Amino acid sequence: MFPLSVRESGQIDLLRRQYLQLLEPDLLAIPSVEMLRKPNVQQLLYNEMFNSDNSMFAPTGRYQLRVLKELVLRLESSFTDPEEDEISDELMACLTTLMASPTLPPSTAALQKSYVTYTTPMYGPSSDEPSAVTTLESPSLLSSSGATGLRTWPAALSLGTYLASHTGKACVDGKNILELGAGTGFLSIFCAKHAGALHVLATDGDGGAVDDIGANIYLNGLEGSGKMETAVLKWGHALIEELLSGQNEGRTYDVVLGADVIYDIDAIPALVATLLDLFNKYPRIEALIAATVRNENTLKAFINACNTNNFYLQDVGFHTPPMSQQSGFFHPTTTQIRILCIKNSRAAKVVEQS
């Protein structure tokens, strides 16, 4: 077999990144059928995506079957010579095994937890091994279910994309981070594991979500590292002092992160009250809030509440490229996502004057 070209290897790597993040099959960057027909390409696809011996955090069998069916369908529809055209024995054996496995009802499958691996976007050529965050979550869950902490949402992936950039990484590198509404813990884990954060406290108002963050910390090899802690924090409750007094008393937090925390207009007063508590305790702390603009009125209500409390607020001006141009932390850009930098107005004036 001839070795793959650099372009072909790159296409397979992109497909593998998307596959491990469990993108819908119709969103996968599947190579052309001319490329798929090559025996060495099929072998690489099997080794990288479907060989269970090579993946510690493989997607569910249901997802694997959906993707493999699509690959086989494309190959079979392109065949013209039964003598020459064929699909590898390994891929066909895997398909047979997956099809024989028991299936769950769609409503049950939507709640099923799966390993999801988010690979860091590439900014320019790099010889480094790609970094990734793996979580155990329910990626098919809809926001209408109310269990928002059970999956990683696009705003977190957009903020993660920003923090993976050279400009964004400077915001967290060497800093102590506190995340509000951490959900699966994706952002906190990324900051602790790959973005150079000194220490990260991941908080959520739901105790079950906090327990799940602990499990994801373990999956990413951070348990016992001293770099991460978790805590239950309900916005608007006067618990900031009590919560942080239980942490390292000498630690000063530098950055607050929040992704998709501005989704309910009724929760905005409590969120802003918590930000105010943090600004009072740590006057120089900065907040980076990523908001999916589903409803303009909700975002306006948040901005108005920030202005009422004399917060200094600025859009960082970061725009994620369309999904067809993304190399990691894949997420749709059809709905606008804004990343806001919020500061204590007094601290902002000091910075401006210095």
Side-chain angles (χ1 to χ4, degrees):
M1 281 189 265
F2 294 104
L4 296 180
S5 67
V6 173
R7 184 180 68 84
E8 289 173 331
S9 296
Q11 285 184 273
I12 298 297
D13 181 60
L14 176 62
L15 176 60
R16 180 189 61 82
R17 287 166 170 249
Q18 295 175 335
Y19 168 80
L20 291 176
Q21 197 181 306
L22 276 64
L23 293 195
E24 285 296 310
D26 61 336
L27 296 177
L28 296 174
I30 297 177
S32 66
V33 291
E34 290 76 19
M35 181 175 162
L36 290 176
R37 285 205 295 256
K38 295 182 178 182
N40 52 349
V41 169
Q42 294 184 28
Q43 186 64 53
L44 186 59
L45 285 172
Y46 173 73
N47 289 337
E48 292 287 326
M49 295 167 57
F50 301 105
N51 186 346
S52 58
D53 294 335
N54 291 343
S55 179
M56 185 182 301
F57 303 118
T60 61
R62 179 173 178 268
Y63 179 77
Q64 291 184 51
L65 177 59
R66 293 176 65 202
V67 174
L68 188 50
K69 270 186 174 180
E70 180 64 27
L71 292 173
V72 169
L73 179 63
R74 293 194 185 199
L75 280 166
E76 289 180 338
S77 63
S78 73
F79 287 168
T80 57
D81 186 346
E83 297 294 327
E84 294 291 332
D85 298 327
E86 62 180 6
I87 302 174
S88 76
D89 292 340
E90 289 94 343
L91 287 177
M92 291 307 298
C94 183
L95 180 63
T96 301
T97 300
L98 291 170
M99 291 183 69
S101 302
T103 57
L104 297 171
S107 58
T108 304
L111 294 172
Q112 183 183 22
K113 287 192 175 184
S114 173
Y115 292 118
V116 185
T117 297
Y118 299 94
T119 311
T120 306
M122 295 183 294
Y123 288 92
S126 174
S127 58
D128 297 336
E129 187 71 19
S131 55
V133 171
T134 297
T135 61
L136 187 60
E137 58 180 271
S138 302
S140 300
L141 202 66
L142 299 176
S143 58
S144 58
S145 68
T148 54
L150 295 180
R151 62 166 290 186
T152 299
W153 298 95
L157 296 169
S158 180
L159 183 50
T161 301
Y162 173 65
L163 296 177
S165 70
H166 298 300
T167 301
K169 187 176 181 181
C171 297
V172 295
D173 190 14
K175 307 285 182 64
N176 291 319
I177 313 297
L178 188 152
E179 184 179 4
L180 300 174
T184 64
F186 158 76
L187 268 178
S188 288
I189 292 169
F190 170 69
C191 289
K193 189 176 182 182
H194 300 300
L198 197 62
H199 181 270
V200 183
L201 175 61
T203 72
D204 198 280
D206 183 87
V210 171
D211 290 341
D212 289 343
I213 294 172
N216 288 330
I217 289 172
Y218 172 79
L219 286 181
N220 289 273
L222 291 171
E223 187 177 53
S225 67
K227 296 198 68 174
M228 280 199 70
E229 292 179 88
T230 61
V232 175
L233 173 60
K234 296 183 182 297
W235 305 339
H237 291 228
L239 296 177
I240 290 290
E241 197 70 37
E242 179 183 336
L243 170 69
L244 298 177
S245 65
Q247 311 295 321
N248 185 331
E249 292 184 1
R251 182 176 294 124
T252 298
Y253 285 92
D254 308 295
V255 179
V256 178
L257 298 179
D260 238 336
V261 292
I262 310 171
Y263 59 87
D264 181 358
I265 197 167
D266 292 332
I268 287 174
L271 172 60
V272 172
T274 295
L275 289 174
L276 184 60
D277 283 348
L278 286 166
F279 286 146
N280 287 335
K281 184 169 180 61
Y282 306 110
R284 292 184 175 274
I285 200 169
E286 298 183 6
L288 287 173
I289 305 294
T292 300
V293 188
R294 301 182 184 89
N295 186 315
E296 287 281 357
N297 290 331
T298 304
L299 181 61
K300 285 179 181 178
F302 175 74
I303 292 174
N304 288 338
C306 289
N307 290 333
T308 299
N309 285 276
N310 295 316
F311 295 169
Y312 176 84
L313 188 148
Q314 183 177 30
D315 194 309
V316 302
F318 179 79
H319 301 287
T320 305
M323 191 178 286
S324 60
Q325 298 175 23
Q326 294 172 18
S327 59
F329 294 173
F330 304 99
H331 60 281
T333 57
T334 48
T335 301
Q336 183 187 19
I337 298 175
R338 293 181 61 183
I339 301 176
L340 305 174
C341 178
I342 306 170
K343 303 177 184 179
N344 181 331
S345 59
R346 288 170 296 174
K349 289 178 181 177
V350 170
V351 172
E352 289 173 356
Q353 294 169 1
S354 60

